[in-house]
């Protein structure tokens, strides 16, 4: 498993049943919840503000999570807060934003400072959520900047829960294989 790195006296807190791939980089003021998973080549850099990753959330390969510090340009700064059962696709950038429960952030999407993605939202691949933008839950959002495309179907709403649970199961398999091999 990856070695969480201390920065400025702050050490990541990782739930005992979370799983971090050995190539993931996790630095500073980061909290990773139960059954969450951080996949290969991810960077979770809580060096100048905090990052919270909720239970059953997965951050997929090559994603970058970073924050904005408190300054006169951004009073209070902007942490990254990801709630429970969120799926963050490959090569996503989340910067100083909030992703609420049961969302799917599509491959290569970008969500910027102080943006909020409300519960049960699908953000399409390559979408751009601009600073401070709020995405209403229950919809598919596409494009750059992200625009509401349509309401999610019952099947898509069900998929949001399925994909998060599937990653919990997959991470448990990786954790078990790592324990068996002594790595």
């Amino acid at each position: 498993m990856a070695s969480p790195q201390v920065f400025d006296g702050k050490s990541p807190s990782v739930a005992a049943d979370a799983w971090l791939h050995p190539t993931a980089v996790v630095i500073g003021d980061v909290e990773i919840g139960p059954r969450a998973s951080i996949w290969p080549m991810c960077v979770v850099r809580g060096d100048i503000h905090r990052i919270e990753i909720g239970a059953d959330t997965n951050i997929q390969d090559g994603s970058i999570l970073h924050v904005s510090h408190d300054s006169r340009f951004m009073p209070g700064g902007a942490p990254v807060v990801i709630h429970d059962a969120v799926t963050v696709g490959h090569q996503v950038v989340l910067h100083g934003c909030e992703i609420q429960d049961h969302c799917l952030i599509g491959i290569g999407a970008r969500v910027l400072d102080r943006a909020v993605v409300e519960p049960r939202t699908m953000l399409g691949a390559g979408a751009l959520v601009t600073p401070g933008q709020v995405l209403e839950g229950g919809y598919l959002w596409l494009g750059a900047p992200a625009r509401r495309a349509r309401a999610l179907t019952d099947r898509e709403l069900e998929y949001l829960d399925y994909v998060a649970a599937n990653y919990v199961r997959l991470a448990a398999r990786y954790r078990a294989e790592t324990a068996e091999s002594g790595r």
Side-chain angles (χ1 to χ4, degrees):
M1 183 162 14
S3 298
Q5 299 176 23
V6 175
F7 180 81
D8 200 22
K10 295 178 181 158
S11 179
S13 172
V14 179
D17 58 352
W19 183 76
L20 281 63
H21 188 272
T23 63
V25 177
V26 180
I27 302 170
D29 192 0
V30 175
E31 183 176 341
I32 300 174
R35 298 167 309 282
S37 56
I38 312 295
W39 294 86
M41 307 303 288
C42 287
V43 175
V44 181
R45 187 159 60 98
D47 53 357
I48 55 176
H49 213 310
R50 77 184 191 287
I51 296 175
E52 299 172 15
I53 299 170
D56 302 330
T57 287
N58 61 88
I59 311 298
Q60 295 176 18
D61 313 51
S63 291
I64 299 170
L65 282 58
H66 196 234
V67 293
S68 287
H69 69 282
D70 178 26
S71 72
R72 68 184 177 99
F73 302 102
M74 187 166 292
V80 170
V81 179
I82 305 170
H83 294 251
D84 297 339
V86 172
T87 295
V88 175
H90 310 292
Q91 294 187 331
V92 166
V93 174
L94 301 179
H95 199 283
C97 59
E98 180 179 4
I99 312 295
Q100 296 179 353
D101 296 332
H102 304 278
C103 289
L104 185 146
I105 309 302
I107 295 168
R110 307 293 187 247
V111 185
L112 302 180
D113 288 342
R114 296 189 174 158
V116 177
V117 178
E118 292 183 345
R120 298 205 173 276
T121 296
M122 281 185 147
L123 180 62
L128 172 66
V129 181
T130 58
Q133 187 175 6
V134 177
L135 304 190
E136 182 180 0
Y139 292 92
L140 170 65
W141 292 76
L142 302 171
R147 298 194 190 289
R148 192 169 77 184
R150 62 172 172 76
L152 294 177
T153 66
D154 289 342
R155 185 172 173 87
E156 288 167 332
L157 290 166
E158 183 181 348
Y159 182 72
L160 295 175
D161 295 330
Y162 165 80
V163 70
N166 188 57
Y167 265 87
V168 168
R169 287 187 296 271
L170 184 58
R173 289 177 56 201
Y174 271 84
R175 194 171 39 256
E177 286 198 23
T178 300
E180 286 175 15
S181 68
R183 290 181 278 172

